[in-house]
Amino acid sequence: MTRRAIVAANWKMNGDLALVNTMVSGLANVELQDNVNVVVCPSSPYLSELSAQVKTKQLSAAISIGAQNVSEHKQGAYTGEISTQMLQELSVKFVIIGHSERRSYYHESSTQIAHKVHTALTAGLTPILCIGESEAERAMEQTDTVLAAQLQPVIDEIGIEKFNDVVIAYEPVWAIGTGKTASSEMAQETHQFIRQFLAQADEDVAAKVPLLYGGSVNASNCEELFAQSDIDGGLIGGASLQVEQFKIICSAAKGK
Ligand code: PGA
């Protein structure tokens, strides 16, 4: 069985046009192992420039373009929102959905997130569905329950077969931007739980879905994390703003 690895840069509300330039030039000669996709997700104002540069420099095999959010609605009176059609026009292929910052600061519920996943899939975009527990939830040994409660509404809405076109990012909330990474054993154990949970619905789909780890991944810890049997790459925040560091992380990923 082959399962692709994905390394996705989540710039969050950081970066500028200069970073778009240096990232595209840097990734033009990145050395990747077999079966790895690199995805760059800048803030939406920079998607157009990233898309134009990837096209002009003929780098679409090396760099896929991702958005950080999308509306669950197709179009209409939703001030400030971005539709799947707008993303498609800019050659966007991936979209981060349900990041913990969206869940907590913008009160996105698991139901709304399920709608977003549905809308993205209908438009042919690949959702990077983020799930993860808080520090208090882990301390109370509720990690598995929380992850199951985040996944189930999506399974209910789209059906398990559609997970063939979904990427899942496990990001423990306490590890995001804190410098505290989950140990590779803890991350592997949780990834294994996620795969087993999906396997209850469909074993074949579960075996193929890429499961990314996110939360303070950097050039020093990526190799050990990516070596774990159920970790298929990463969703990288802070370290993706530094081109050389991000390239090291991309080079450490390998399809399984
Ligand atoms: P971090 O962010 O790598 O800065 O911890 C990861 C994320 O939130 O996607």
Side-chain angles (χ1 to χ4, degrees), residues 10 12 99 101 171 175-178 214-217 235-239:
N10 175 12
K12 311 193 180 185
H99 190 280
E101 288 149 17
E171 300 201 301
I176 296 177
T178 57
S216 298
V217 177
L235 181 56
I236 321 297

Side-chain angles (χ1 to χ4, degrees), residues 22-228:
T22 51
M23 186 60 78
V24 171
S25 317
L27 290 177
N29 61 9
V30 66
E31 286 185 19
L32 298 178
Q33 303 189 53
D34 293 342
N35 211 4
V36 179
N37 279 169
V38 173
V39 184
V40 178
C41 309
S43 287
S44 52
Y46 302 127
L47 284 169
S48 178
E49 178 64 19
L50 177 62
S51 174
Q53 289 206 22
V54 166
K55 202 169 171 190
T56 321
K57 296 181 181 165
Q58 300 185 324
L59 289 172
S60 50
I63 306 174
S64 299
I65 302 168
Q68 295 178 15
N69 189 20
V70 71
S71 172
E72 68 270 39
H73 304 291
K74 270 194 83 178
Q75 60 179 48
Y78 300 103
T79 302
E81 292 293 294
I82 300 168
S83 73
T84 50
Q85 199 189 339
M86 295 166 189
L87 296 179
Q88 282 172 310
E89 251 197 309
L90 297 175
S91 307
V92 170
K93 298 280 183 278
F94 291 81
V95 57
I96 299 171
I97 296 179
H99 190 280
S100 66
E101 288 149 17
R102 303 279 336 159
R103 290 179 192 260
S104 73
Y105 304 149
Y106 303 101
H107 312 292
E108 288 189 10
S109 66
S110 290
T111 313
Q112 185 185 8
I113 288 161
H115 294 336
K116 289 188 175 202
V117 170
H118 193 172
T119 306
L121 283 170
T122 307
L125 295 169
T126 302
I128 301 177
L129 169 64
C130 300
I131 56 173
E133 82 289 359
S134 68
E135 191 153 35
E137 288 161 345
R138 180 162 283 270
M140 289 187 293
E141 299 186 359
Q142 288 175 349
T143 300
D144 294 358
T145 321
V146 169
L147 298 177
Q150 291 173 341
L151 283 170
Q152 194 60 52
V154 185
I155 299 174
D156 292 344
E157 171 142 355
I158 65 170
I160 190 69
E161 293 77 26
K162 288 270 169 45
F163 274 76
N164 278 318
D165 301 315
V166 173
V167 174
I168 296 176
Y170 166 61
E171 300 201 301
V173 177
W174 46 271
I176 296 177
T178 57
K180 286 193 220 169
T181 324
S183 68
S184 49
E185 294 78 22
M186 189 194 279
Q188 163 56 27
E189 199 178 278
T190 312
H191 279 231
Q192 193 174 21
F193 164 77
I194 295 166
R195 211 178 288 287
Q196 282 166 356
F197 181 78
L198 296 172
Q200 288 168 14
D202 190 311
E203 280 186 24
D204 291 342
V205 172
K208 282 190 223 129
V209 66
L211 296 184
L212 317 187
Y213 171 78
S216 298
V217 177
N218 58 40
S220 319
N221 61 23
C222 58
E223 203 153 337
E224 193 180 328
L225 285 161
F226 295 170
Q228 304 304 311

